[in-house]
Amino acid sequence: MKNKNILAIIPARGGSKRLPGKNIKLLNGKPLIAYSIEFALNSPEINKVVVSTDSKQIADISLQYGAEVLFRPIELAQDTTKTAPVLLHVVNELEKNNYVPEIIILLQPTCPFREKDLCKNTLNILSANPQYDSLFTGFKKSFTMALWTKNSKDEVKPLYDYHLRPRWQDVEMNDKLIAEDGAFYAIKYSAFKKYKDFIGNKPYIYEVAFSVDIDTQKDFEKAELLMKG
């Protein structure tokens, strides 16, 4: 992957209902978004790191940690805004300045844990295997039908027939799923422009041992414990 334009985009909206200010909340003494910026800047394969935001505070912190910043329009900064249009906005704006990436990497700022050589290892896979148009990290998750819902009155309702509950050891042995962890996505430029999404038609899943995606205060506290060992 040498001498290629590898673009890392970190989308960081200012608003967050469940954990206000989460993207710049201090995690072990450092703004949460800083972990993703530093990962990208410390990955030699990446030659441009752009934070897409609607927040001046996030922008200032991102610049302080060495990222470029691109302000997104208000229509791309809503609670219902999906990630793919945000990435497309960044790519289109950079194209106006004659920067065309060959690989686009999405780094969610809410995922502070990534393997040191993750970028090198995953990009080598994409380079050596042209049949894949994209790649994302994921972890094995045991499938279980033992799901319940609970409303605001603490009333519970099963989403499965608990009278036919399977043996857990059988579930562990026979039903392995891989869940996206949200930490790392890479897609070839041609596939991104074609599908307008960060996962193409033929993705590769790079398995990781564990992941933390911070969306609530409980997630944040778990991440702090992991940081402190």
Side-chain angles (χ1 to χ4, degrees):
M1 281 295 173
K2 291 182 179 179
N3 302 319
K4 290 191 175 184
N5 282 338
I6 310 294
L7 167 66
I9 302 175
I10 304 172
R13 191 169 65 92
S16 175
K17 290 184 176 180
R18 284 194 279 186
L19 186 59
K22 66 180 179 182
N23 288 319
I24 54 176
K25 186 176 174 67
L26 294 182
L27 174 63
N28 201 29
K30 188 184 300 183
L32 179 57
I33 194 172
Y35 292 95
S36 294
I37 293 174
E38 290 180 340
F39 168 81
L41 293 176
N42 290 329
S43 298
E45 299 77 17
I46 296 173
N47 64 1
K48 185 177 281 290
V49 182
V50 177
V51 170
S52 169
T53 189
D54 61 324
S55 162
K56 185 179 184 304
Q57 191 174 12
I58 290 176
D60 289 343
I61 290 173
S62 298
L63 290 170
Q64 175 188 338
Y65 278 89
E68 299 179 36
V69 170
L70 185 60
F71 282 96
R72 68 177 77 168
I74 189 67
E75 60 268 22
L76 292 179
Q78 306 301 311
D79 289 338
T80 56
T81 299
K82 294 184 178 295
T83 301
V86 173
L87 305 187
L88 189 61
H89 170 256
V90 173
V91 172
N92 288 342
E93 290 299 307
L94 293 178
E95 285 176 347
K96 294 177 183 178
N97 293 316
N98 299 315
Y99 180 89
V100 179
E102 295 184 53
I103 301 289
I104 298 157
I105 292 173
L106 163 62
L107 301 175
Q108 301 279 16
T110 51
C111 301
F113 299 99
R114 298 179 181 92
E115 298 173 7
K116 180 182 177 181
D117 293 325
L118 177 62
C119 193
K120 179 182 73 173
N121 294 338
T122 53
L123 293 181
N124 282 343
I125 290 171
L126 278 184
S127 180
N129 297 276
Q131 70 269 30
Y132 301 122
D133 60 10
S134 55
L135 179 152
F136 60 88
T137 50
F139 58 95
K140 282 189 175 178
K141 186 176 180 66
S142 297
F143 176 73
T144 175
M145 293 299 292
L147 298 175
W148 296 67
T149 60
K150 184 170 71 171
N151 62 22
S152 58
K153 297 180 181 179
D154 284 337
E155 297 169 333
V156 297
K157 177 182 177 182
L159 297 180
Y160 77 114
D161 186 344
Y162 54 88
H163 299 297
L164 300 176
R165 183 185 290 109
R167 298 192 317 152
W168 297 127
Q169 58 266 44
D170 293 337
V171 171
E172 289 285 341
M173 288 172 57
N174 300 326
D175 296 291
K176 287 293 187 180
L177 299 179
I178 300 178
E180 294 176 42
D181 71 346
F184 186 96
Y185 297 83
I187 185 166
K188 295 175 181 177
Y189 174 81
S190 57
F192 177 75
K193 296 294 280 191
K194 180 179 181 179
Y195 299 109
K196 294 179 172 53
D197 202 351
F198 47 88
I199 298 180
N201 192 46
K202 294 182 179 180
Y204 178 92
I205 302 178
Y206 183 91
E207 292 185 33
V208 295
F210 81 102
S211 180
V212 176
D213 187 358
I214 298 176
D215 200 38
T216 65
Q217 180 61 32
K218 188 174 181 179
D219 296 334
F220 198 89
E221 291 168 2
K222 177 182 177 181
E224 281 237 299
L225 287 174
L226 289 170
M227 285 277 181
K228 293 176 181 178

